[in-house]
Amino acid sequence: MTVVQQYEEIAAYLRSSIREGELVPGDPLPSEAELCRRFESARGTVRQAIALLRSEGLISSGQGRRSRVLDHRPTQSFDDIFSFTQWCLTAGITPGQQTQWVTRKPADPRLAAHLEIPDGAQVVSVFRLRLMDGQAAMIERLNYPFEFGRHLLSFDTDSGSIYQHLLDCGVDIDTATRTIDAVPAEAEDAALLQVPAGAPLLRVRRRAFTTGGTPIEYSDDRYLHTKASFTINSTRNSPTALSMISS
């Protein structure tokens, strides 16, 4: 069983206050002294919680003053691999999913290239609508070489995290690369997300690899731009694993 550290509890409380509109962009956070009293915690613990929210892009740095709310949308760190379920739980959001289909099929040339398998090789593909607190948030298209995806054919994909299930089955998931851009909602996605066709979506295309560098997944996730944003933290004179590429 996962033990929640007190700083995570404090951070979850502040995230919830921001998400529910109790704290809006521009508002100062409660003072360190107030948070210490509320949670009966040490000042260092409160500062750890605030540092976590700052790293997520939700609040300002403060710089000698009380930090202020910058954004109300959940953020996902580039350091996370790709568990939507875990991201939601960390943000105090109840994740959900509505599977549209799971199928075994031959890979077309484009998908085969992404997975580095022969054209026509068998893959397992999953198409799901992902929910945040019961509301539509993201369209998820997942594709796996059959060697790995076979674990999903007997798995209830409405029951929870595919990522966690694959790990539980002993699948080696080590690294991931992501390409992020914006696309208009196609008719099928628009209907599921309950937005007009052509509405802007944040698209995240991901390739995941085993420790040995074998491609294990190619996915195409499309988020409502009102539901998510991405953050990356950079340090001067230190390389950052983020690239801008032309389409």
Side-chain angles (χ1 to χ4, degrees):
M1 181 175 63
T2 302
V3 177
V4 177
Q5 301 293 323
Q6 189 177 39
Y7 80 90
E8 294 175 315
E9 180 185 355
I10 298 170
Y13 162 76
L14 292 172
R15 281 195 209 95
S16 177
S17 296
I18 293 170
R19 190 175 70 251
E20 299 299 327
E22 296 170 14
L23 293 171
V24 300
D27 283 353
L29 290 189
S31 67
E32 289 182 0
E34 181 180 344
L35 291 170
C36 286
R37 287 193 300 271
R38 176 184 290 270
F39 291 93
E40 298 181 351
S41 66
R43 192 172 294 268
T45 302
V46 168
R47 288 177 178 173
Q48 193 174 3
I50 291 173
L52 180 58
L53 295 187
R54 189 175 300 131
S55 73
E56 295 171 357
L58 290 176
I59 63 174
S60 68
S61 63
Q63 296 181 337
R65 302 181 300 275
R66 284 164 62 181
S67 294
R68 292 183 178 273
V69 175
L70 296 178
D71 207 341
H72 66 279
R73 292 174 292 179
T75 64
Q76 183 175 14
S77 168
F78 277 89
D79 294 331
D80 295 335
I81 293 182
F82 61 170
S83 176
F84 177 90
T85 297
Q86 187 56 50
W87 169 55
C88 285
L89 293 174
T90 299
I93 296 167
T94 300
Q97 48 279 322
Q98 295 175 359
T99 301
Q100 306 304 303
W101 45 255
V102 179
T103 188
R104 175 180 177 176
K105 65 180 182 180
D108 61 33
R110 179 174 174 275
L111 180 55
H114 283 300
L115 293 174
E116 298 180 18
I117 57 178
D119 292 358
Q122 292 293 297
V123 296
V124 174
S125 299
V126 181
F127 179 33
R128 296 196 295 182
L129 171 67
R130 301 309 303 266
L131 310 174
M132 297 169 65
D133 288 337
Q135 297 184 341
M138 184 260 281
I139 298 295
E140 181 177 64
R141 292 178 173 89
L142 308 171
N143 302 279
Y144 303 91
F146 182 75
E147 174 188 358
F148 308 110
R150 61 186 176 85
H151 298 291
L152 303 179
L153 295 177
S154 58
F155 175 62
D156 178 4
T157 52
D158 277 346
S159 67
S161 172
I162 286 176
Y163 168 69
Q164 188 60 53
H165 178 68
L166 291 175
L167 289 177
D168 292 343
C169 289
V171 175
D172 173 21
I173 305 174
D174 185 63
T175 59
T177 61
R178 284 177 284 195
T179 302
I180 301 175
D181 58 8
V183 294
E186 299 171 358
E188 183 177 36
D189 294 356
L192 288 171
L193 292 170
Q194 302 174 35
V195 296
L201 301 178
L202 176 67
R203 179 172 66 173
V204 182
R205 288 169 288 174
R206 180 179 60 247
R207 296 178 74 210
F209 304 86
T210 66
T211 304
T214 300
I216 188 176
E217 180 204 65
Y218 175 70
S219 70
D220 183 315
D221 299 340
R222 303 189 181 195
Y223 293 82
L224 288 172
H225 72 91
T226 56
K227 292 293 186 180
S229 62
F230 284 78
T231 63
I232 186 164
N233 296 305
S234 302
T235 303
R236 187 169 177 261
N237 298 323
S238 296
T240 298
L242 175 67
S243 300
M244 180 180 292
I245 61 174
S246 59
S247 301

PDB file of all heavy atoms in Angstrom, residues 180-212:
ATOM      1  N   ILE A 180       4.497  16.787 -29.188  1.00  0.00           N
ATOM      2  CA  ILE A 180       3.289  17.508 -28.782  1.00  0.00           C
ATOM      3  C   ILE A 180       2.971  18.593 -29.807  1.00  0.00           C
ATOM      4  O   ILE A 180       3.845  19.378 -30.197  1.00  0.00           O
ATOM      5  CB  ILE A 180       3.475  18.129 -27.381  1.00  0.00           C
ATOM      6  CG1 ILE A 180       3.775  17.026 -26.366  1.00  0.00           C
ATOM      7  CG2 ILE A 180       2.241  18.918 -26.965  1.00  0.00           C
ATOM      8  CD1 ILE A 180       4.094  17.533 -24.992  1.00  0.00           C
ATOM      9  N   ASP A 181       1.718  18.611 -30.242  1.00  0.00           N
ATOM     10  CA  ASP A 181       1.271  19.660 -31.142  1.00  0.00           C
ATOM     11  C   ASP A 181      -0.229  19.871 -30.953  1.00  0.00           C
ATOM     12  O   ASP A 181      -0.824  19.307 -30.020  1.00  0.00           O
ATOM     13  CB  ASP A 181       1.619  19.342 -32.604  1.00  0.00           C
ATOM     14  CG  ASP A 181       1.013  18.025 -33.092  1.00  0.00           C
ATOM     15  OD1 ASP A 181       0.201  17.419 -32.355  1.00  0.00           O
ATOM     16  OD2 ASP A 181       1.336  17.601 -34.222  1.00  0.00           O
ATOM     17  N   ALA A 182      -0.822  20.685 -31.788  1.00  0.00           N
ATOM     18  CA  ALA A 182      -2.257  20.959 -31.713  1.00  0.00           C
ATOM     19  C   ALA A 182      -2.906  20.516 -33.011  1.00  0.00           C
ATOM     20  O   ALA A 182      -2.343  20.700 -34.096  1.00  0.00           O
ATOM     21  CB  ALA A 182      -2.512  22.441 -31.471  1.00  0.00           C
ATOM     22  N   VAL A 183      -4.112  19.936 -32.892  1.00  0.00           N
ATOM     23  CA  VAL A 183      -4.846  19.466 -34.070  1.00  0.00           C
ATOM     24  C   VAL A 183      -6.329  19.788 -33.888  1.00  0.00           C
ATOM     25  O   VAL A 183      -6.814  19.910 -32.756  1.00  0.00           O
ATOM     26  CB  VAL A 183      -4.674  17.941 -34.282  1.00  0.00           C
ATOM     27  CG1 VAL A 183      -3.234  17.600 -34.627  1.00  0.00           C
ATOM     28  CG2 VAL A 183      -5.141  17.157 -33.061  1.00  0.00           C
ATOM     29  N   PRO A 184      -7.069  19.916 -34.981  1.00  0.00           N
ATOM     30  CA  PRO A 184      -8.522  20.099 -34.864  1.00  0.00           C
ATOM     31  C   PRO A 184      -9.197  18.765 -34.569  1.00  0.00           C
ATOM     32  O   PRO A 184      -8.745  17.706 -35.023  1.00  0.00           O
ATOM     33  CB  PRO A 184      -8.917  20.629 -36.245  1.00  0.00           C
ATOM     34  CG  PRO A 184      -7.872  20.077 -37.170  1.00  0.00           C
ATOM     35  CD  PRO A 184      -6.603  20.026 -36.377  1.00  0.00           C
ATOM     36  N   ALA A 185     -10.266  18.807 -33.808  1.00  0.00           N
ATOM     37  CA  ALA A 185     -10.998  17.590 -33.456  1.00  0.00           C
ATOM     38  C   ALA A 185     -11.700  17.018 -34.676  1.00  0.00           C
ATOM     39  O   ALA A 185     -12.473  17.714 -35.343  1.00  0.00           O
ATOM     40  CB  ALA A 185     -12.012  17.890 -32.359  1.00  0.00           C
ATOM     41  N   GLU A 186     -11.433  15.750 -34.962  1.00  0.00           N
ATOM     42  CA  GLU A 186     -12.151  15.046 -36.019  1.00  0.00           C
ATOM     43  C   GLU A 186     -13.542  14.679 -35.496  1.00  0.00           C
ATOM     44  O   GLU A 186     -13.805  14.712 -34.296  1.00  0.00           O
ATOM     45  CB  GLU A 186     -11.369  13.813 -36.447  1.00  0.00           C
ATOM     46  CG  GLU A 186      -9.991  14.158 -37.009  1.00  0.00           C
ATOM     47  CD  GLU A 186      -9.127  12.927 -37.237  1.00  0.00           C
ATOM     48  OE1 GLU A 186      -9.592  11.806 -36.913  1.00  0.00           O
ATOM     49  OE2 GLU A 186      -7.999  13.087 -37.716  1.00  0.00           O
ATOM     50  N   ALA A 187     -14.430  14.310 -36.403  1.00  0.00           N
ATOM     51  CA  ALA A 187     -15.839  14.109 -36.033  1.00  0.00           C
ATOM     52  C   ALA A 187     -16.008  13.077 -34.923  1.00  0.00           C
ATOM     53  O   ALA A 187     -16.759  13.305 -33.962  1.00  0.00           O
ATOM     54  CB  ALA A 187     -16.634  13.693 -37.271  1.00  0.00           C
ATOM     55  N   GLU A 188     -15.303  11.942 -35.018  1.00  0.00           N
ATOM     56  CA  GLU A 188     -15.448  10.892 -34.015  1.00  0.00           C
ATOM     57  C   GLU A 188     -14.983  11.372 -32.644  1.00  0.00           C
ATOM     58  O   GLU A 188     -15.658  11.154 -31.629  1.00  0.00           O
ATOM     59  CB  GLU A 188     -14.638   9.667 -34.436  1.00  0.00           C
ATOM     60  CG  GLU A 188     -14.768   8.480 -33.492  1.00  0.00           C
ATOM     61  CD  GLU A 188     -14.002   7.272 -33.987  1.00  0.00           C
ATOM     62  OE1 GLU A 188     -12.908   7.449 -34.578  1.00  0.00           O
ATOM     63  OE2 GLU A 188     -14.478   6.144 -33.789  1.00  0.00           O
ATOM     64  N   ASP A 189     -13.840  12.051 -32.613  1.00  0.00           N
ATOM     65  CA  ASP A 189     -13.314  12.549 -31.344  1.00  0.00           C
ATOM     66  C   ASP A 189     -14.198  13.656 -30.789  1.00  0.00           C
ATOM     67  O   ASP A 189     -14.438  13.726 -29.574  1.00  0.00           O
ATOM     68  CB  ASP A 189     -11.888  13.065 -31.534  1.00  0.00           C
ATOM     69  CG  ASP A 189     -10.899  11.959 -31.882  1.00  0.00           C
ATOM     70  OD1 ASP A 189     -11.321  10.781 -31.897  1.00  0.00           O
ATOM     71  OD2 ASP A 189      -9.729  12.270 -32.145  1.00  0.00           O
ATOM     72  N   ALA A 190     -14.661  14.531 -31.653  1.00  0.00           N
ATOM     73  CA  ALA A 190     -15.508  15.644 -31.212  1.00  0.00           C
ATOM     74  C   ALA A 190     -16.781  15.128 -30.549  1.00  0.00           C
ATOM     75  O   ALA A 190     -17.218  15.659 -29.519  1.00  0.00           O
ATOM     76  CB  ALA A 190     -15.850  16.544 -32.395  1.00  0.00           C
ATOM     77  N   ALA A 191     -17.361  14.081 -31.117  1.00  0.00           N
ATOM     78  CA  ALA A 191     -18.590  13.531 -30.536  1.00  0.00           C
ATOM     79  C   ALA A 191     -18.337  12.970 -29.147  1.00  0.00           C
ATOM     80  O   ALA A 191     -19.132  13.196 -28.220  1.00  0.00           O
ATOM     81  CB  ALA A 191     -19.154  12.455 -31.456  1.00  0.00           C
ATOM     82  N   LEU A 192     -17.233  12.256 -28.975  1.00  0.00           N
ATOM     83  CA  LEU A 192     -16.925  11.671 -27.665  1.00  0.00           C
ATOM     84  C   LEU A 192     -16.575  12.735 -26.638  1.00  0.00           C
ATOM     85  O   LEU A 192     -16.925  12.633 -25.460  1.00  0.00           O
ATOM     86  CB  LEU A 192     -15.781  10.672 -27.799  1.00  0.00           C
ATOM     87  CG  LEU A 192     -16.114   9.353 -28.504  1.00  0.00           C
ATOM     88  CD1 LEU A 192     -14.840   8.560 -28.771  1.00  0.00           C
ATOM     89  CD2 LEU A 192     -17.082   8.523 -27.659  1.00  0.00           C
ATOM     90  N   LEU A 193     -15.870  13.776 -27.076  1.00  0.00           N
ATOM     91  CA  LEU A 193     -15.448  14.836 -26.159  1.00  0.00           C
ATOM     92  C   LEU A 193     -16.513  15.914 -25.976  1.00  0.00           C
ATOM     93  O   LEU A 193     -16.339  16.826 -25.170  1.00  0.00           O
ATOM     94  CB  LEU A 193     -14.156  15.472 -26.672  1.00  0.00           C
ATOM     95  CG  LEU A 193     -12.913  14.576 -26.633  1.00  0.00           C
ATOM     96  CD1 LEU A 193     -11.754  15.224 -27.395  1.00  0.00           C
ATOM     97  CD2 LEU A 193     -12.499  14.284 -25.189  1.00  0.00           C
ATOM     98  N   GLN A 194     -17.590  15.820 -26.740  1.00  0.00           N
ATOM     99  CA  GLN A 194     -18.707  16.754 -26.645  1.00  0.00           C
ATOM    100  C   GLN A 194     -18.279  18.190 -26.952  1.00  0.00           C
ATOM    101  O   GLN A 194     -18.590  19.133 -26.224  1.00  0.00           O
ATOM    102  CB  GLN A 194     -19.354  16.662 -25.258  1.00  0.00           C
ATOM    103  CG  GLN A 194     -19.859  15.260 -24.928  1.00  0.00           C
ATOM    104  CD  GLN A 194     -20.362  15.140 -23.503  1.00  0.00           C
ATOM    105  OE1 GLN A 194     -20.941  16.079 -22.960  1.00  0.00           O
ATOM    106  NE2 GLN A 194     -20.165  13.982 -22.892  1.00  0.00           N
ATOM    107  N   VAL A 195     -17.529  18.314 -28.053  1.00  0.00           N
ATOM    108  CA  VAL A 195     -17.109  19.634 -28.541  1.00  0.00           C
ATOM    109  C   VAL A 195     -17.415  19.692 -30.033  1.00  0.00           C
ATOM    110  O   VAL A 195     -17.625  18.659 -30.676  1.00  0.00           O
ATOM    111  CB  VAL A 195     -15.601  19.876 -28.298  1.00  0.00           C
ATOM    112  CG1 VAL A 195     -15.297  19.908 -26.810  1.00  0.00           C
ATOM    113  CG2 VAL A 195     -14.750  18.829 -29.020  1.00  0.00           C
ATOM    114  N   PRO A 196     -17.444  20.887 -30.622  1.00  0.00           N
ATOM    115  CA  PRO A 196     -17.690  20.985 -32.068  1.00  0.00           C
ATOM    116  C   PRO A 196     -16.542  20.364 -32.858  1.00  0.00           C
ATOM    117  O   PRO A 196     -15.376  20.404 -32.433  1.00  0.00           O
ATOM    118  CB  PRO A 196     -17.774  22.499 -32.312  1.00  0.00           C
ATOM    119  CG  PRO A 196     -18.023  23.107 -30.969  1.00  0.00           C
ATOM    120  CD  PRO A 196     -17.360  22.216 -29.980  1.00  0.00           C
ATOM    121  N   ALA A 197     -16.838  19.788 -33.998  1.00  0.00           N
ATOM    122  CA  ALA A 197     -15.790  19.332 -34.902  1.00  0.00           C
ATOM    123  C   ALA A 197     -14.886  20.506 -35.242  1.00  0.00           C
ATOM    124  O   ALA A 197     -15.353  21.622 -35.481  1.00  0.00           O
ATOM    125  CB  ALA A 197     -16.401  18.739 -36.166  1.00  0.00           C
ATOM    126  N   GLY A 198     -13.591  20.279 -35.245  1.00  0.00           N
ATOM    127  CA  GLY A 198     -12.638  21.344 -35.519  1.00  0.00           C
ATOM    128  C   GLY A 198     -12.128  22.059 -34.284  1.00  0.00           C
ATOM    129  O   GLY A 198     -11.212  22.884 -34.374  1.00  0.00           O
ATOM    130  N   ALA A 199     -12.697  21.762 -33.107  1.00  0.00           N
ATOM    131  CA  ALA A 199     -12.217  22.392 -31.869  1.00  0.00           C
ATOM    132  C   ALA A 199     -10.758  22.003 -31.634  1.00  0.00           C
ATOM    133  O   ALA A 199     -10.342  20.889 -31.966  1.00  0.00           O
ATOM    134  CB  ALA A 199     -13.077  21.957 -30.690  1.00  0.00           C
ATOM    135  N   PRO A 200      -9.947  22.908 -31.070  1.00  0.00           N
ATOM    136  CA  PRO A 200      -8.525  22.598 -30.885  1.00  0.00           C
ATOM    137  C   PRO A 200      -8.304  21.542 -29.800  1.00  0.00           C
ATOM    138  O   PRO A 200      -8.897  21.603 -28.725  1.00  0.00           O
ATOM    139  CB  PRO A 200      -7.922  23.945 -30.471  1.00  0.00           C
ATOM    140  CG  PRO A 200      -9.058  24.700 -29.845  1.00  0.00           C
ATOM    141  CD  PRO A 200     -10.277  24.275 -30.609  1.00  0.00           C
ATOM    142  N   LEU A 201      -7.448  20.585 -30.094  1.00  0.00           N
ATOM    143  CA  LEU A 201      -7.061  19.551 -29.141  1.00  0.00           C
ATOM    144  C   LEU A 201      -5.542  19.542 -29.004  1.00  0.00           C
ATOM    145  O   LEU A 201      -4.825  19.798 -29.981  1.00  0.00           O
ATOM    146  CB  LEU A 201      -7.537  18.167 -29.597  1.00  0.00           C
ATOM    147  CG  LEU A 201      -9.039  17.971 -29.808  1.00  0.00           C
ATOM    148  CD1 LEU A 201      -9.308  16.546 -30.296  1.00  0.00           C
ATOM    149  CD2 LEU A 201      -9.817  18.259 -28.528  1.00  0.00           C
ATOM    150  N   LEU A 202      -5.074  19.244 -27.808  1.00  0.00           N
ATOM    151  CA  LEU A 202      -3.648  19.085 -27.555  1.00  0.00           C
ATOM    152  C   LEU A 202      -3.286  17.629 -27.835  1.00  0.00           C
ATOM    153  O   LEU A 202      -3.758  16.722 -27.148  1.00  0.00           O
ATOM    154  CB  LEU A 202      -3.332  19.437 -26.098  1.00  0.00           C
ATOM    155  CG  LEU A 202      -1.887  19.239 -25.641  1.00  0.00           C
ATOM    156  CD1 LEU A 202      -0.978  20.233 -26.356  1.00  0.00           C
ATOM    157  CD2 LEU A 202      -1.787  19.440 -24.126  1.00  0.00           C
ATOM    158  N   ARG A 203      -2.474  17.383 -28.867  1.00  0.00           N
ATOM    159  CA  ARG A 203      -2.128  16.011 -29.253  1.00  0.00           C
ATOM    160  C   ARG A 203      -0.743  15.640 -28.713  1.00  0.00           C
ATOM    161  O   ARG A 203       0.211  16.397 -28.859  1.00  0.00           O
ATOM    162  CB  ARG A 203      -2.130  15.852 -30.769  1.00  0.00           C
ATOM    163  CG  ARG A 203      -1.753  14.440 -31.216  1.00  0.00           C
ATOM    164  CD  ARG A 203      -1.934  14.239 -32.708  1.00  0.00           C
ATOM    165  NE  ARG A 203      -1.012  15.067 -33.496  1.00  0.00           N
ATOM    166  CZ  ARG A 203      -0.885  14.968 -34.823  1.00  0.00           C
ATOM    167  NH1 ARG A 203      -1.648  14.107 -35.498  1.00  0.00           N
ATOM    168  NH2 ARG A 203      -0.038  15.753 -35.466  1.00  0.00           N
ATOM    169  N   VAL A 204      -0.674  14.481 -28.090  1.00  0.00           N
ATOM    170  CA  VAL A 204       0.584  13.959 -27.572  1.00  0.00           C
ATOM    171  C   VAL A 204       0.803  12.585 -28.187  1.00  0.00           C
ATOM    172  O   VAL A 204       0.064  11.645 -27.904  1.00  0.00           O
ATOM    173  CB  VAL A 204       0.572  13.842 -26.032  1.00  0.00           C
ATOM    174  CG1 VAL A 204       1.930  13.341 -25.540  1.00  0.00           C
ATOM    175  CG2 VAL A 204       0.214  15.172 -25.388  1.00  0.00           C
ATOM    176  N   ARG A 205       1.804  12.480 -29.057  1.00  0.00           N
ATOM    177  CA  ARG A 205       2.162  11.198 -29.646  1.00  0.00           C
ATOM    178  C   ARG A 205       3.377  10.646 -28.897  1.00  0.00           C
ATOM    179  O   ARG A 205       4.366  11.360 -28.717  1.00  0.00           O
ATOM    180  CB  ARG A 205       2.461  11.352 -31.139  1.00  0.00           C
ATOM    181  CG  ARG A 205       1.203  11.600 -31.972  1.00  0.00           C
ATOM    182  CD  ARG A 205       1.547  12.021 -33.381  1.00  0.00           C
ATOM    183  NE  ARG A 205       2.085  13.376 -33.421  1.00  0.00           N
ATOM    184  CZ  ARG A 205       2.580  13.941 -34.514  1.00  0.00           C
ATOM    185  NH1 ARG A 205       2.624  13.268 -35.645  1.00  0.00           N
ATOM    186  NH2 ARG A 205       3.046  15.182 -34.471  1.00  0.00           N
ATOM    187  N   ARG A 206       3.259   9.395 -28.474  1.00  0.00           N
ATOM    188  CA  ARG A 206       4.279   8.835 -27.585  1.00  0.00           C
ATOM    189  C   ARG A 206       4.786   7.504 -28.133  1.00  0.00           C
ATOM    190  O   ARG A 206       4.010   6.672 -28.628  1.00  0.00           O
ATOM    191  CB  ARG A 206       3.676   8.614 -26.199  1.00  0.00           C
ATOM    192  CG  ARG A 206       4.626   8.044 -25.173  1.00  0.00           C
ATOM    193  CD  ARG A 206       3.945   7.890 -23.827  1.00  0.00           C
ATOM    194  NE  ARG A 206       2.804   6.996 -23.899  1.00  0.00           N
ATOM    195  CZ  ARG A 206       1.536   7.376 -23.733  1.00  0.00           C
ATOM    196  NH1 ARG A 206       1.242   8.627 -23.480  1.00  0.00           N
ATOM    197  NH2 ARG A 206       0.545   6.491 -23.825  1.00  0.00           N
ATOM    198  N   ARG A 207       6.083   7.311 -28.034  1.00  0.00           N
ATOM    199  CA  ARG A 207       6.702   6.014 -28.289  1.00  0.00           C
ATOM    200  C   ARG A 207       7.395   5.591 -26.999  1.00  0.00           C
ATOM    201  O   ARG A 207       8.174   6.351 -26.432  1.00  0.00           O
ATOM    202  CB  ARG A 207       7.712   6.066 -29.425  1.00  0.00           C
ATOM    203  CG  ARG A 207       7.123   6.418 -30.786  1.00  0.00           C
ATOM    204  CD  ARG A 207       8.210   6.495 -31.838  1.00  0.00           C
ATOM    205  NE  ARG A 207       8.699   5.161 -32.201  1.00  0.00           N
ATOM    206  CZ  ARG A 207       9.952   4.914 -32.602  1.00  0.00           C
ATOM    207  NH1 ARG A 207      10.851   5.888 -32.631  1.00  0.00           N
ATOM    208  NH2 ARG A 207      10.306   3.688 -32.943  1.00  0.00           N
ATOM    209  N   ALA A 208       7.098   4.387 -26.536  1.00  0.00           N
ATOM    210  CA  ALA A 208       7.709   3.867 -25.313  1.00  0.00           C
ATOM    211  C   ALA A 208       8.604   2.689 -25.680  1.00  0.00           C
ATOM    212  O   ALA A 208       8.351   1.968 -26.651  1.00  0.00           O
ATOM    213  CB  ALA A 208       6.636   3.429 -24.321  1.00  0.00           C
ATOM    214  N   PHE A 209       9.652   2.511 -24.865  1.00  0.00           N
ATOM    215  CA  PHE A 209      10.684   1.529 -25.180  1.00  0.00           C
ATOM    216  C   PHE A 209      11.045   0.693 -23.956  1.00  0.00           C
ATOM    217  O   PHE A 209      10.924   1.149 -22.813  1.00  0.00           O
ATOM    218  CB  PHE A 209      11.957   2.237 -25.682  1.00  0.00           C
ATOM    219  CG  PHE A 209      11.746   3.126 -26.862  1.00  0.00           C
ATOM    220  CD1 PHE A 209      11.335   4.445 -26.686  1.00  0.00           C
ATOM    221  CD2 PHE A 209      11.935   2.660 -28.148  1.00  0.00           C
ATOM    222  CE1 PHE A 209      11.137   5.284 -27.774  1.00  0.00           C
ATOM    223  CE2 PHE A 209      11.733   3.490 -29.244  1.00  0.00           C
ATOM    224  CZ  PHE A 209      11.331   4.805 -29.057  1.00  0.00           C
ATOM    225  N   THR A 210      11.523  -0.528 -24.224  1.00  0.00           N
ATOM    226  CA  THR A 210      12.076  -1.362 -23.163  1.00  0.00           C
ATOM    227  C   THR A 210      13.461  -0.845 -22.791  1.00  0.00           C
ATOM    228  O   THR A 210      14.018   0.052 -23.447  1.00  0.00           O
ATOM    229  CB  THR A 210      12.198  -2.822 -23.619  1.00  0.00           C
ATOM    230  OG1 THR A 210      13.186  -2.888 -24.674  1.00  0.00           O
ATOM    231  CG2 THR A 210      10.874  -3.355 -24.145  1.00  0.00           C
ATOM    232  N   THR A 211      14.033  -1.428 -21.755  1.00  0.00           N
ATOM    233  CA  THR A 211      15.385  -1.046 -21.341  1.00  0.00           C
ATOM    234  C   THR A 211      16.378  -1.228 -22.479  1.00  0.00           C
ATOM    235  O   THR A 211      17.321  -0.449 -22.647  1.00  0.00           O
ATOM    236  CB  THR A 211      15.818  -1.882 -20.123  1.00  0.00           C
ATOM    237  OG1 THR A 211      14.857  -1.710 -19.078  1.00  0.00           O
ATOM    238  CG2 THR A 211      17.186  -1.447 -19.614  1.00  0.00           C
ATOM    239  N   GLY A 212      16.154  -2.254 -23.300  1.00  0.00           N
ATOM    240  CA  GLY A 212      17.048  -2.518 -24.420  1.00  0.00           C
ATOM    241  C   GLY A 212      16.770  -1.689 -25.656  1.00  0.00           C
ATOM    242  O   GLY A 212      17.457  -1.837 -26.673  1.00  0.00           O
TER     243      GLY A 212
END
